[in-house]
Amino acid sequence: MTSLERVLCALGGEPADRRASTLALSLYGARLTGCPVREYFTVPRRYLEGQREVVRLLDPDILFTPFVLPFEALAYGGEEVWLDRFAPNVRKPPFRDPDLAEPLGEGLLLDPGVGYLVEAARLLAGEFGADKPVCAVVTAPVDLPAMLLGIETWLEILLFDPERAAALMDLSEDHFLRLTAAMFDAGATFVACPVMFANLRLVTPGLLEKSILPALSRCFGLSRGPVVFHHGGNRIEDHLRHYEGLPNVPGFVMDPRDSLSRAREILGPRRLILGNLSGPALAGTAPEAARALASEILADRAADRAFILASGHADVPFDTNPDTLRAVRQAVLDAGAVK
């Protein structure tokens, strides 16, 4: 089976030759090629070269576009920060005054950082898309204002200024639909959307029902392709009932602390679930411990055809031992076929 066939089997709840699996290894390609991080995350061909090495090392069933959500915010201005072994970030939000934040429209795709993201997707899809799904990582429309203004400012606006919140949500929806359309045009198979501001640890039930879920429903429903809901760094098992009705969402990436069994009870037998490894934690995990953890998850999900072993939280760190990653793959191979 190809990786694409394997993932489609998981999506359809069908048997497969082995369990589909993937790790978020966007940054790790820079380590494998020895490419300076700044060059790796600004030159699309360098990113492709890094992902080639990821495929040689682990042959994951899903490849990811650059996991650099800050580039989306930096398209609006602001100051970037680069570190040697990390993806770039925003030093400070682009706007202090919410009223200055305006949609970029067609100009969004002309921004160098956003253009890099789309071109990296195009190169990945051109080389691997026939055999491996390409997942484009895109900021959730309800989260973009937090990147533009800061988390506290966006939360305050959501709570106390509905008119301004609606204007910022319009900006975010335009941004999301333009960027995801460009990613699908470039050949992405689906989009993964880390979502923070739909979690009841951050927003009130009233905000979730009246503002957040309607915005996600509009954007996901209008997306040209499927959107996988990523936990965004928070546990979501308690909130799945709120999300399960979102349109065009075939699956959920669970937080590593979430119960996969409980998620399956809530979502039913056919909805795709991905998890339950922590990508950042792999940096401090010895190979045998990683293999044991992956094997435990796989054994727990042995009868669950609609499951993909995947890493959650952020990207796998630069300093992760490659033997640790190989050990995860070996656990997948040892687990055998999905029956």
Side-chain angles (χ1 to χ4, degrees), residues 249-319:
V249 175
F252 295 85
V253 180
M254 306 301 295
D255 185 283
R257 298 164 294 183
D258 284 326
S259 165
L260 298 178
S261 297
R262 185 163 180 230
R264 178 56 69 211
E265 289 175 6
I266 294 168
L267 295 172
R270 298 297 293 271
R271 203 72 169 272
L272 186 65
I273 294 175
L274 302 93
N276 208 20
L277 294 167
S278 169
L282 288 173
T285 305
E288 282 308 309
R291 185 171 179 176
L293 176 58
S295 296
E296 181 181 348
I297 296 169
L298 290 164
D300 177 70
R301 295 290 94 202
D304 188 347
R305 292 177 177 175
F307 171 72
I308 293 176
L309 182 73
S311 60
H313 286 306
D315 225 355
V316 171
F318 188 98
D319 291 328

Side-chain angles (χ1 to χ4, degrees), residues 47-316:
Y47 187 79
L48 174 64
E49 292 167 358
Q51 294 306 295
R52 282 179 185 148
E53 294 306 312
V54 165
V55 171
R56 289 192 182 101
L57 178 71
L58 294 172
D59 193 27
D61 289 308
I62 300 170
L63 293 176
F64 295 90
T65 64
F67 207 140
V68 193
L69 300 179
F71 277 170
E72 296 182 49
L74 289 167
Y76 296 81
E79 186 179 346
E80 63 191 18
V81 58
W82 291 87
L83 299 171
D84 287 344
R85 297 188 173 193
F86 298 88
N89 210 334
V90 179
R91 189 183 298 274
K92 57 184 178 181
F95 301 107
R96 291 186 177 180
D97 183 349
D99 294 329
L100 296 178
E102 295 184 355
L104 294 176
E106 295 180 0
L108 174 66
L109 301 179
L110 300 177
D111 174 77
V114 172
Y116 161 82
L117 297 175
V118 175
E119 182 59 20
R122 191 183 314 280
L123 292 177
L124 276 181
E127 182 153 332
F128 297 107
D131 297 318
K132 293 182 182 293
V134 173
C135 171
V137 186
V138 176
T139 301
V142 296
D143 290 359
L144 181 65
M147 297 174 68
L148 299 181
L149 301 165
I151 291 174
E152 291 183 3
T153 300
W154 176 225
L155 186 56
E156 183 176 351
I157 290 171
L158 277 172
L159 288 169
F160 303 115
D161 195 343
E163 185 174 333
R164 188 171 278 159
L168 288 164
M169 207 72 85
D170 286 344
L171 177 155
S172 298
E173 291 179 24
D174 181 79
H175 172 110
F176 178 84
L177 292 173
R178 287 182 188 277
L179 181 53
T180 54
M183 288 297 193
F184 286 120
D185 285 345
T189 315
F190 64 95
V191 163
C193 206
V195 187
M196 290 180 59
F197 274 82
N199 195 289
L200 291 175
R201 291 173 176 83
L202 291 174
V203 299
T204 65
L207 271 178
L208 182 66
E209 294 298 331
K210 293 178 182 178
S211 299
I212 302 298
L213 290 178
L216 291 178
S217 292
R218 286 192 300 273
C219 284
F220 293 174
L222 290 170
S223 172
R224 287 209 219 154
V227 181
V228 168
F229 190 111
H230 185 288
H231 64 89
N234 295 293
R235 297 181 68 169
I236 61 171
E237 65 178 88
D238 294 335
H239 309 327
L240 283 175
R241 295 192 190 280
H242 297 287
Y243 310 149
E244 62 178 336
L246 289 171
N248 209 17
V249 175
F252 295 85
V253 180
M254 306 301 295
D255 185 283
R257 298 164 294 183
D258 284 326
S259 165
L260 298 178
S261 297
R262 185 163 180 230
R264 178 56 69 211
E265 289 175 6
I266 294 168
L267 295 172
R270 298 297 293 271
R271 203 72 169 272
L272 186 65
I273 294 175
L274 302 93
N276 208 20
L277 294 167
S278 169
L282 288 173
T285 305
E288 282 308 309
R291 185 171 179 176
L293 176 58
S295 296
E296 181 181 348
I297 296 169
L298 290 164
D300 177 70
R301 295 290 94 202
D304 188 347
R305 292 177 177 175
F307 171 72
I308 293 176
L309 182 73
S311 60
H313 286 306
D315 225 355
V316 171

